[in-house]
Every structure is written in C-alpha cells, then in structure tokens.
Amino acid sequence: MESDDCSVKVAVHIRPLIGDERLQGCKDCVTVVSGKPQVQIGSHSFTFDHVYGSTGSPSTEMYQECAAPLVDGLFQGYNATVLAYGQTGSGKTYTMGTGCGDNSSQTGIVPQVMNALFTKIETLKDHIEFQIHVSFIEIHKEEVQDLLDPSTINKSDTKVAHVPGKPPIQIRESSNGVITLAGSTEVSVSTLKEMAACLDQGSVSRATGSTNMNNQSSRSHAIFTISVEQMRKINNNTDSPENGSLKEEYLCAKLHLVDLAGSERAKRTGSDGMRFKEGVHINKGLLALGNVISALGDEKKRKDGAHVPYRDSKLTRLLQDSLGGNSRTVMIACISPADINAEETLNTLKYANRARNIRNKPVVNRDPVSSEMLKMRQQLEYLQAELSLRNGGSSCAELQVLKERIASLETANEDLCRELHEYRSRCGGVEEPTDKDFKDIQAVDEIVGSVRPDGLKRSLHSIESSNYPMVEATTGDSREVDEEAKEWEHKLLQNSMDKELHELNRRLEEKESEMKLFDDPAALKQHFGKKIAEVEDEKRSVQEERNRLLAEIENLASSDGQAQKLQDVHAQNLKSLEAQIQDLKKKQESQVQLLKQKQKSDDAAKRLQDEIQSIKAQKVQLQHRMKQEAEQFRKKKMHSQVLQRKTEEAAMATKRLKELLEARKSSPREHSGGTNGFATNGQTNEKSLQRWLDHELEVMVNVHEVRHEYEKQSHVRAALAEELAVLRQVDEFAVKGLSPPRGKNGFARASSLSPNARTARISSLENMLEISSNSLVAMASQLSEAEERERAFTSRGRWNQLRSMGEAKNLLQYMFNSLAETRCQLWEKDVEIKEMKDQFKEIVGLLRQSELRRKEAEKELKLREQAHATSLASSPLGTPPNSVKHLAEDLSTPSPMTVPAQKQLKLTPGIANGKVKDSAAFINTNKKV
Ligand code: ADP
Ligand code: MG
C-alpha cells in the first residue's frame, strides 16, 4: 500500500488573460481538449493529470483533487509536497494563495490545506495527540532566509533580512537521510488562526525584505512547511493493562508548499549585468531542479542509475525527498494563455511533462524507536502464540529457553520504552548536527560565453536589415484581397471627394460668369450718372430758352401785328420746348429707375461674391481633408507593410531555425552515445567536427534572430492593438452618440475617420492581429524547441563528442581562427559604421540647410506675391504673370552655397555611395519643390 501510484502528479492551471495582456492585444493561444486533461498550443499537445481554468476543470476543484489527498496522507504519516511552477505572472502565488492581501486567500491551496488540516484534527484530537509546527523560508540568490524570524518580524520595516550575529540557516542531512534546516524558526501552532498568522507574517516579510516585491518574489523560492506529529494510542483489549502505555504509535509527516521562482529564462539580451547575475543565481535552483527532474524522469537514465544532482542547489537539496524520494508530490504548472508568453508556456509544459515521469517512494514515517518497538511487540506475540501451541508436547528445557527469551525481550522492551520517554521529553529538541558543511562548486563554463560571436553577428544583422530591400513581397491570397479591398475603399473615398470638389468648381464658375454681367459696376454708375447729368443740363438749357421766349413774347405783346405773328411762332416754339421738357422729365425718371435697379444688382453681386468666398473656403477645406485622408491611408498602409514585412522576416527566420534544428536532430553527431561511427579517417573526422561547429554557431545566430523578430513582432503588434483599442472606443462613443474625449492621443485622428472607414480599419486590424498571433506562436514553438536542445548541452555536454585531445586541439584551432576572423570583420564593420555615421551627419546637415533655404525662398515668394497683388490692384492694366515664374526658376538653379557642400562628401563605393547619391538627389528635388 505504501508505494501504490506514487508518480509525481502534474496539474496545469491556466489563468485568464490579464489586463496588461489584453492591452497588448494578446490572443489566447492555449486550448484545452474538452473533457480531457489535455492542452494544445500551436502544433504541440500535452496530457497531464488535471487541467484547470480556461475551460478545463474549474479551478475550484483543484484543492479537492490535488491537495486534499495529500492532507489525508499527512495523517497516515506520508510526507507531501505541492510545487507551483511557472513563469512570473503566470499565477503561482495566486494558485498557492500565499500572496499577502490577496483575495486569492479563499481559493488558494495553502489556506484550504490549513482549513482542512484543523478540521480533521478537531475530529481526531480525542484519541490522538497532535503537535504542529510551521516554518517559512525563502531561497534567494542561493541563500536561505527565515521568513518567521521573530527578530526581523518585529521590525519588519527594516530591510535587513539577515541579522548579524545570528548564524545563517544551513541545510543538514541526518544519518537516516532526513533533511533539516538548522537555524530556521519552527513555530509551534495549535490553532488555524495561529497558523494563518504565521503565513501572513511570512508573506509580509517576504514582501518587505526587498525594495521591489515583484522583483524579489519572482526570483526567489518560498517554502512553507507544515510538520504534523501525532501520538496515537492503540486500544487493544487483549493487552494487559501494564502494557497499555506501550501501545502507542508515533507518526510524523511534513507538507512542503512551494512557490517557486519565475521560470523565465534570464534575458540574454539584458543590458544590466546585475540582473543577469541574479538570473544566474535564480537559475541555479531552477536549473538544478530541471536537471533533477530529467535525471529522475528519463526512463533510461533512471535504469542506468544515473547521478541525480540534488546537491547542485539549495532548492533541490531541500526538496530531495519531494522528487524521487519519500513524498507524495503534486506539481501545479501555472501558465498564461497569451500568445506573447507562448515560448515560456511551452517551456513550462515541457518541464511539467517530464516531471510526470518521476516515481516517488513514499513511506509511513514512524519514529525509529516506536517502529522498533512495534516490531518487537509483534515478535513477542508470535512467540507467545508458538509457546501456547507447543504447551503440552515440548520439553521443559525448551520451554525454559523460550521463557528466558521472553523475559529478555521484555526487559529490552522496557529499556526501549524508557528511551522513548526520554526522547519524548526531549521532543521538539534539536537534532544533532551530523553532517559536514559542504560547498557548492560553481561550474566555470561561463568563460566560454565571453567568446561568443553573437555580438558580431548581431551588428552584421543590423547592418543588413538597415539595407533590407523593400520587396513587393508575394502575398497570400487573403492578404491580397484585403489589400485590394483597402485600396478600393480608399479610391472610393477619394472619388467621392473628387466629385464634391468638381461640383464646387462648377458652382464657382457659374457664379463667376454671373458676376461678369455686373462687371465693373463703377463704370456703369459713372455712365448712368453722366447720362443723368447730361439730361439735366439739356433740361436746364431748354427751360432757360423757354423762359427767354416767354419774356420775348411779353415784350412783343404790346407791339404791332408782326409781333403777333412772331408771337405765334414763339408760341409754337414754346410748345415744342414744353414737349421736349416733358420728354426729358420722363427720361430722367427712367434713369432714376435704372439707378435703383443697379443698386439691387450691386447687392446681388455682393451676395454672390460672399458665396464665392465661402465656396472657395470649402474647397480649400476639402482639399485639405483629401490630403489628410491620403496621408492617413499612406500611414496605415505603411503600418500594415511593416507588420507584413516583419511577419515575413519572422516566418523566414523561423523556417530556417526549424530546418537547422531538424538537421541537427538527424545528424549522426547528435547521437553522441554512438561511438566512432565516422571516425574512420582523421581527416574526415576533423572536417565533420568543423562542420558541426559551424552548424552549432549558425543555430545560435538563428535563435538570436528569431528572438529578435519575436520581440519586434510583439512591439508592432502592441502598436496595432493600441490603435484598435482607440478605434473601438471611438466606435462605442459614436454608437452612444457622444463625441470622444478630446486631447487624448490618437482620438482626434481616429474620430476624423468616417464610420465606414473605421469599421473597415477595425476589421483589418483584427485580421492583422490574428496573423501576428500565429506568427508569434510559430516562433515561440521553434524557440522552445531550441531551448530544449540547448538544455541538453548544459555544462560541458556540448563537447562530449570530442574523443581525443587531438580532436579537441584541432577544433580549438579552428574556433580560434574563425573567432579571429570574425573579430577582424567586426572591427572593419565598426569602422564602416563610423564612416557612415559621419556621412549621415553631413547629409542631415545639408538637408537642414536646404530646408532653411527652402523656407526662406517660400517667404520671399510670398512677399513678392503680395507686392505683385498690390501692384495689380493699383494698375489694372499691368499684369505680368511671369514675375512669379521667374522667381521660381531662380530658386531651382543650384545656388553657389550648396554645390561645394556636395563636393565635400567622401563618396565611398558600394552601399554608402548609392545612399549619398540618393540623398543628394533628394535634396535637389526638395529644392525644386
Ligand atoms: P506569479 O506568482 O506566478 O508571479 P501571480 O500569482 O502574482 O503570478 O499572478 C499574476 C497576476 O495574475 C495577479 O494579478 C493575479 O491576481 C492574476 N491571476 C493569476 N491567476 C489567476 C486566476 N486563475 N484567475 C484570475 N487572476 C489570476
Ligand atoms: Mg509570485
């Protein structure tokens, strides 16, 4: 019964996407096969004992299925361990429920374990005596820190984790193989409340022990240990009363609840050496744990009795029993479903999958004395039974011997009993330090790291990528269609705007021709005024003549008959004059009428003028909008092009890496176990070793490249996601009929889009994010594969295939040569870069100058235009439209200032030359503009 089903149980806990991941537009890339404890990510599939969260079993069942059996086992004397493994932020602390001030304290494993423990104790306490102790430690940078140390708890605000004078905590192994921590605080607790207080205290001092909680907690392992000792009184009626006190059973068991450090790889690209160093320390625990797991999990290694490197780190020493030893163990692999974490998630799942193969050997932990006593008691009973069987037939002497034996056994029993009591009185006392201290020997394989040619290749790569040809890449069908649709939509928009512009132009023309009718209103006025004055004059002269004639008539009236005749003539004249006056009066009236009409038409002309003005303003606005729209379209197109290019580059790099990894898999060198399969000829062997080395290096560079692409891709993706979020928000506002918040970055731009354009953009963004997500997962898959391979080469594994000093020396020589060559190339590239930078600076200077000149010219042009306009107004005839053109021509001829500046450029052949030429041409065109 003690060894049934003792392999390490592994559960996966998938947390939901959290805020930050949503913001970055991450997609859920982990699927759970329904009804099975199986998870899939990309093309990988893993089966575990349980899967919780994100449509696996509900997380609430985790305690009952994973931890409750362990708590029950504690009461039977079985050790147990719960390990939470996963990258930082994957939910380890949440799963364990050890976060301080976290609301996970109800659903977390640890609080539920404590609850169950005390509930059970409550039911058993009448016939069993319990002693419970807890300890809470943290391993940070390979140092064990006591989280329950009263001297630090009382002044938890001090950041001193280690009190001077207090001996550091040491890991000891007693003669019977039990690992103990010497110097750590073991708090005796008797109620749930007391235990919960310990957990809280420890969590708090874990948080305040470092300036940055997340920093430290992600780099340290926290182990909360509950030890349960029980004294069981065995009530056996057949026993004599004096033996009653002996019928006791002592059981002890420990439960380790472990919140491991974040499993993420220390970033090789990390700029600060400090972090890297810390990462190395952290990795020491997890690396050793990984090695222990693969040593125990690998069927072959286990059969060969391979060395299990428990002693490589403090963590693995402390958990020695938990993995492959005397413990029932559950590992909970916590993962994030976000595609951005796909690589770490894959690593975690692979790691956890290996752990499933570990077989443990749990046994009931009895006190050594009490178990001895139990054995003796059984022997005694057996003998007594034998005695009673033989009672009649056996000889007296035999009986005597047996009786003596019984007596001696009984005295031994009593001795042991006494001893037991002594032990018990010393119960909880210190265990003898039995083990010598040991020193961890750190491997020095990092030395090799300093000669890695990564840096060189990286800079090479960056040079290449800066000159990367912007190929009009072959696109997939869907993308093409998408592209076309966008192009079409853009054209449609432009067309409609064009139409609008056209209409405006037409109206403008109409109005202007109408306006021509009323052209030169001043002249018209003058003309009419003159006419009126003329008529007035004529009228006046006619009137004067009339008056004169009247006076003449009066003079003549008194004279003779001839005068009578004259008078008649005069009267006739007068009549005709009167008629003339009448006529003139009429004419004058009609003139006034005309004047009035003219006034009216003047008003109309003014209105038209205003209208024209407003139409012109509209036209300018529309043109402006068209320009903006075009600009935005260009930008969007660029955005998608960047993504497309990134995705293509990423796909290429991923494919190459895949090929390389597969080539390595199938290469005979990989089977380092196989002996001299191809070492027939020294020459060929040397060549193949060199080829192998080149291949290894290529893989390294390729991994670097893919990682680089991965990071770039995630950046581009984040930008797209941000745009999408803004657009969605604007869309929401629009649906509610509100205007989006002003002044917020991106909102103005987003809300200037038409609703149709917005929806189109949203769906295209969603599409792009999907593509990006797939690409990320594909990359993560290869990266994780590479990581897996790399793991096999930890320490000196890489060089296992070198079989002789000669081979090693040859390869070393080859390596040295290639390193020297690469360094020389690096130097050359550095020089080249420096030169190019100088040229770049010059070009930028030139560009600035020409820009300045352009601005000046523009200013001048404007001034001249103004002057021209005023002169045009003052002299209506002189309209020399050539003057502006002359000015423009003046500007386009190269000035004496820029020519020598261009000559200054040091033209070097190759890329630089082309670039310089291009830039110069650019400047020229700029000037022409
Ligand atoms: P870790 O300890 O692995 O670094 P945490 O436990 O601190 O990660 O979890 C990171 C964040 O994710 C926390 O904000 C936590 O509340 C949240 N989280 C983790 N697991 C879950 C879950 N199952 N459901 C909801 N939120 C979770
Ligand atoms: Mg944590």
Side-chain angles (χ1 to χ4, degrees), residues 75 114-115 117-123 125 128-134 186-198 226-229:
F75 289 91
M114 299 196 301
N115 261 328
L117 193 73
F118 282 100
T119 313
K120 184 137 189 181
I121 286 175
E122 199 57 36
T123 62
K125 69 176 179 194
I128 302 177
E129 198 183 304
F130 284 99
Q131 277 201 340
I132 315 281
H133 288 93
V134 293
E186 288 222 347
V187 181
S188 171
V189 293
S190 50
T191 62
L192 175 60
K193 224 171 157 182
E194 282 173 16
M195 192 184 271
C198 284
I226 304 173
S227 45
V228 178
E229 289 172 83

Side-chain angles (χ1 to χ4, degrees), residues 13-16 18 59 87-95 259:
H13 192 194
I14 310 168
R15 68 155 166 74
I18 54 177
S59 309
Q87 78 180 109
T88 301
S90 59
K92 297 180 297 296
T93 307
Y94 182 94
T95 303
D259 183 356

Side-chain angles (χ1 to χ4, degrees), residues 249-281:
E249 192 185 17
Y250 171 89
L251 293 175
C252 65
K254 280 188 179 179
L255 172 62
H256 292 301
L257 298 154
V258 190
D259 183 356
L260 289 169
S263 61
E264 62 276 4
R265 213 169 37 83
K267 279 220 162 120
R268 268 170 218 158
T269 47
S271 49
D272 52 332
M274 222 11 241
R275 198 174 62 176
F276 185 67
K277 220 169 165 190
E278 217 175 294
V280 170
H281 267 297

Side-chain angles (χ1 to χ4, degrees), residues 482-526:
D482 187 41
E483 217 31 57
E484 265 171 30
K486 265 188 276 169
E487 199 82 56
W488 187 74
E489 186 221 340
H490 174 66
K491 264 191 199 139
L492 219 64
L493 197 64
Q494 288 285 1
N495 266 353
S496 81
M497 283 197 181
D498 268 340
K499 255 185 218 154
E500 215 177 311
L501 189 65
H502 199 71
E503 174 66 22
L504 277 174
N505 271 335
R506 198 185 55 75
R507 270 176 63 199
L508 193 63
E509 259 168 39
E510 227 176 69
K511 294 285 172 187
E512 267 170 353
S513 65
E514 228 178 289
M515 190 58 202
K516 255 186 204 140
L517 287 179
F518 301 99
D519 214 10
D520 214 353
L524 200 69
K525 198 173 178 177
Q526 229 173 4

Side-chain angles (χ1 to χ4, degrees), residues 1-2 70 73-74 76-80 253-254 328 362-365:
M1 190 217 147
E2 299 207 345
L70 301 186
L74 273 184
Q76 296 155 22
Y78 290 107
N79 291 338
K254 280 188 179 179
R328 291 170 162 179
V363 292
V364 171
N365 298 302

